Amino acid sequence: MRSEPSKSHPLLPSEFDAQFYLSTCSKDLQSLDPDAAYQHFRSRRDDQNVFPSASAFLKDKLSDSKFRGDAKRICVSFNWRDYRDLNEDLRSLSPLEVVKHYLANGIYEPRQILSSARLLDRRFAVQAKLDRVAPDVSIQVVVHCYYYDILCGLHLYLRTLARLGAKILVLVVNDRIQDSVMDDFLGSLCTGGPNHEWFRMTNYGEDWSSFHLAFQQGLLIKSGVIYKIQTKKSANLGPDGGVAWTDEALQPICGSYSNVFDTTELLTHGMRSIVASSLCRQTGFGANKNMLYDYLEQLDLSVDAARNDSFCMGSMFAADAGFLHRYFSRLGQVDYKQESAGGTKFCGRYVGHAIERTIYYFASQVDGSQAVAWVD
């Protein structure tokens, strides 16, 4: 247990803070000196509701809260004296009142909690806004990775999501990307939240196959919000190979905390099944329509009704996890090794290019015309 910066008696155990302990006691004990306070504590230390320090009190209160995974870090970084001295509105509070204020309010607010820290602790302040939008929601980000340089370009988006508690799952389909490189990349996303993971997947030439295989292997969360992202690079996406396209596809759904809040709210309040950038709606068809119609039938959707519909690629979006499980369960088994002529020069050969274009249509047909939200 960490000792707080000592104003305690030098002969007392370092984990005992007489000033904090006495603030938890009745008024008639407030005049005890540190030695007497320690002896009083020893007489009660078997009581589970007696705490020798603010760290012990925090550890107990956080153990049954949503911050339990961060409890150790919080207990190490929090100092009640600094917190009180650095925040003028708290200076009249007792040590116990100061710690209770932090648990009830300060942990969610951009306040300074340590005199040696130059920056405000904003992580939980950001989390508080998401909690108001969608309490206890789970967020997972599934990234299909072939191009490591593009993955590095996605770092800002992934870190934004990670700071809000999202768990990042990277599906690596390029054998040239070394294990240590992926470990280092995910380590750079460390925010004190959930541990991120990566897995190797078979490369079938496109991204939808790895997303589907992740479902089949039980890697997708069953409730909450799932972001689907890929490291896209293609000559038909402009002279930069698609970097600008990727930004335009991701900015509206996760380019900022505010975008993540809005996306999460749409997907967790029963308003929408899937949310994507309006850009994705304008990307054109490109895939083999006959192959696409085969998978519409596999999804038990009317092909005749779809013939005059427009389809767009499902490379980047956010969706309700339950909706995705219903989609993949209905889709069933797919042979991603199959190739077919047709489509365009850039896509259409692969099964995944056809299947990914069914996702928005499936949402609108099964969950209603308002199930898809196109955002700018």
Side-chain angles (χ1 to χ4, degrees):
M1 186 181 299
R2 172 187 181 273
S3 61
E4 291 156 349
S6 182
K7 289 186 181 179
S8 58
H9 194 288
L11 299 179
L12 299 178
S14 60
E15 69 268 20
F16 181 76
D17 181 338
Q19 194 174 353
F20 175 82
Y21 173 70
L22 289 174
S23 74
T24 70
C25 299
S26 58
K27 290 183 179 179
D28 60 307
L29 297 175
Q30 299 306 307
S31 61
L32 294 180
D33 62 33
D35 287 302
Y38 179 60
Q39 294 306 318
H40 186 272
F41 163 71
R42 288 193 64 185
S43 70
R44 304 173 62 209
R45 61 183 176 183
D46 291 335
D47 186 338
Q48 293 184 347
N49 294 315
V50 173
F51 304 99
S53 66
S55 293
F57 183 84
L58 272 174
K59 182 179 180 181
D60 179 77
K61 302 306 176 186
L62 293 171
S63 62
D64 292 325
S65 76
K66 65 183 174 183
F67 299 112
R68 56 186 174 274
D70 297 287
K72 183 176 181 179
R73 185 180 74 85
I74 293 171
C75 291
V76 167
S77 63
F78 181 79
N79 179 282
W80 71 262
R81 293 183 177 86
D82 283 358
Y83 183 60
R84 185 175 65 177
D85 293 345
L86 293 166
N87 294 279
E88 188 173 352
D89 58 322
L90 307 181
R91 290 176 187 169
S92 64
L93 300 183
S94 72
L96 179 61
E97 290 171 335
V98 168
V99 179
K100 286 184 174 180
H101 180 278
Y102 177 70
L103 285 169
N105 301 290
I107 198 169
Y108 294 109
E109 299 169 354
R111 289 178 179 261
Q112 200 164 349
I113 65 171
L114 200 62
S115 60
S116 59
R118 296 184 179 182
L119 301 178
L120 302 181
D121 187 349
R122 296 188 66 251
R123 175 168 182 252
F124 298 120
V126 171
Q127 182 72 43
K129 185 174 179 182
L130 182 64
D131 288 345
R132 289 193 291 271
V133 170
D136 301 319
V137 67
S138 295
I139 301 177
Q140 182 182 45
V141 185
V142 182
V143 187
H144 169 92
C145 177
Y146 184 84
Y147 299 104
Y148 182 73
D149 58 328
I150 303 296
L151 180 67
C152 292
L154 296 174
H155 191 275
L156 182 60
Y157 298 108
L158 299 180
R159 188 161 176 80
T160 296
L161 287 156
R163 289 202 72 197
L164 290 171
K167 184 170 183 176
I168 312 300
L169 172 65
V170 182
L171 309 175
V172 179
V173 296
N174 186 342
D175 291 339
R176 291 175 295 175
I177 300 176
Q178 298 179 0
D179 292 7
S180 59
V181 169
M182 287 307 308
D183 291 340
D184 289 346
F185 180 84
L186 293 185
S188 72
L189 298 174
C190 180
T191 54
N195 293 324
H196 310 302
E197 296 180 292
W198 67 273
F199 294 89
R200 292 201 181 274
M201 292 283 185
T202 302
N203 180 21
Y204 289 111
E206 38 66 45
D207 63 296
W208 196 263
S209 55
S210 62
F211 193 46
H212 191 176
L213 291 172
F215 163 78
Q216 293 177 328
Q217 294 177 25
L219 299 178
L220 302 187
I221 60 174
K222 294 183 178 179
S223 64
V225 174
I226 297 177
Y227 280 81
K228 177 186 176 294
I229 298 176
Q230 70 154 309
T231 58
K232 198 166 186 64
K233 186 186 290 187
S234 179
N236 69 329
L237 293 173
D240 64 358
V243 174
W245 187 95
T246 297
D247 285 335
E248 290 183 42
L250 292 180
Q251 278 289 340
I253 59 174
C254 60
S256 67
Y257 296 133
S258 179
N259 294 139
V260 176
F261 301 148
D262 293 343
T263 299
T264 303
E265 187 171 30
L266 284 170
L267 292 169
T268 56
H269 288 214
M271 292 183 278
R272 298 290 192 270
S273 298
I274 188 166
V275 179
S277 166
S278 297
L279 173 74
C280 296
R281 195 177 193 177
Q282 304 164 13
T283 51
F285 184 74
N288 182 323
K289 275 204 169 185
N290 291 326
M291 186 183 287
L292 183 146
Y293 294 150
D294 289 341
Y295 288 104
L296 288 181
E297 290 183 344
Q298 192 162 318
L299 287 163
D300 198 26
L301 299 175
S302 171
V303 172
D304 289 337
R307 292 193 186 280
N308 295 322
D309 216 293
S310 59
F311 294 86
C312 45
M313 59 183 171
S315 297
M316 315 267 196
F317 58 75
D320 171 67
F323 161 75
L324 289 174
H325 278 263
R326 285 187 284 120
Y327 170 84
F328 281 124
S329 295
R330 179 92 68 95
L331 180 62
Q333 294 296 319
V334 173
D335 180 9
Y336 283 101
K337 296 191 292 284
Q338 175 188 354
E339 293 187 14
S340 174
T344 69
K345 171 183 176 183
F346 297 102
C347 71
R349 209 176 49 180
Y350 300 111
V351 169
H353 288 146
I355 296 178
E356 73 172 43
R357 284 160 170 78
T358 67
I359 188 74
Y360 301 113
Y361 185 73
F362 179 85
S364 64
Q365 294 299 301
V366 174
D367 291 348
S369 59
Q370 301 300 310
V372 182
W374 301 104
V375 294
D376 295 313

